[in-house]
Amino acid sequence: MLPTIIVDDFFDDVEKIIKLSKTLKYYPRNQNENWPGLRTKSLHLTNYDLFNDIVLKILSYYYPPSQLKYSDTFVGFSKLKYGDKGKTRFHYDNFKLAAVIYLSDGDMKSGTTLFHTEKEKQIVIANKFNTMVAYDGGKYHGFTGLKTVKKERLTLNIFIKSIEVIKWKSLEFKYLHIN
């Protein structure tokens, strides 16, 4: 199981990312999908370099320094507003790693909740502007709530199904000796 990682100030130029989000078309879910609100198609279709940079930056927190291969990956914008519903609010993703980058102002009540079990909350992450939270895709989770969202909750959602380490670069730990 992959650990949960939270990174503040994920994008150096977050306004550029928000500007891009306003140029893309958003779609509702189809009947086989669970998510609420509207989403864009994956950025690899329109802006592969940005798509790749986002994925590699997230993976660098888990696999530093290494050569990686990833596949079956989605990076797309999501808009939610109060009243939007999926089939279920909390769910599992069928991916190795999932991440959310918050691109609108919010609070603890409009963030993401991760569970230890389906009934036991483990961590509630605030919807803090330009913050990324990444977590094991097999963790039970969902948006905490939408009542405090003023206009809409804009996020960048990332799902990575397959991650393969091709080559680890050696790290030297001078003061860590395990016997």
Side-chain angles (χ1 to χ4, degrees), residues 17-177:
I17 302 301
I18 293 170
K19 186 176 178 182
L20 172 65
S21 78
K22 294 176 182 179
T23 68
L24 300 173
K25 185 171 180 176
Y26 288 76
Y27 301 90
R29 67 180 168 87
N30 67 39
Q31 291 189 341
N32 298 328
E33 296 171 316
N34 179 33
W35 49 269
L38 302 171
R39 284 189 182 168
T40 65
K41 293 187 177 183
S42 182
L43 289 180
H44 77 276
L45 299 170
T46 57
N47 195 326
Y48 182 80
D49 289 340
L50 177 61
F51 166 89
N52 191 52
D53 286 349
I54 291 167
V55 172
L56 291 178
K57 183 173 181 178
I58 292 169
L59 291 177
S60 75
Y61 293 105
Y62 289 94
Y63 304 99
S66 56
Q67 290 179 341
L68 300 170
K69 179 180 175 185
Y70 66 88
S71 62
D72 297 324
T73 300
F74 173 89
V75 177
F77 293 98
S78 172
K79 290 181 182 180
L80 295 176
K81 63 184 183 319
Y82 183 69
D84 285 344
K85 295 187 184 333
K87 292 179 183 177
T88 60
R89 183 163 136 205
F90 298 111
H91 58 279
Y92 296 96
D93 291 326
N94 188 23
F95 291 89
K96 182 163 181 79
L97 181 68
V100 176
I101 304 169
Y102 302 105
L103 298 173
S104 58
D105 290 323
D107 58 17
M108 288 298 284
K109 295 178 182 176
S110 63
T112 302
T113 301
L114 301 175
F115 292 78
H116 177 66
T117 65
E118 285 191 18
K119 297 186 180 202
E120 184 182 358
K121 289 182 183 178
Q122 186 173 28
I123 186 171
V124 178
I125 299 103
N127 175 1
K128 183 175 179 269
F129 183 71
N130 198 19
T131 294
M132 183 274 302
V133 58
Y135 49 91
D136 190 289
K139 254 192 166 344
Y140 194 61
H141 69 282
F143 65 89
T144 304
L146 297 172
K147 286 183 181 179
T148 62
V149 173
K150 293 178 183 165
K151 186 177 177 185
E152 66 187 11
R153 177 187 187 243
L154 178 65
T155 59
L156 192 60
N157 296 1
I158 299 95
F159 303 103
I160 307 169
K161 185 165 254 185
S162 175
I163 304 165
E164 180 183 347
V165 177
I166 297 172
K167 181 180 178 184
W168 286 99
K169 294 182 181 174
S170 62
L171 296 174
E172 186 177 326
F173 297 99
K174 294 179 183 180
Y175 300 103
L176 180 63
H177 299 285

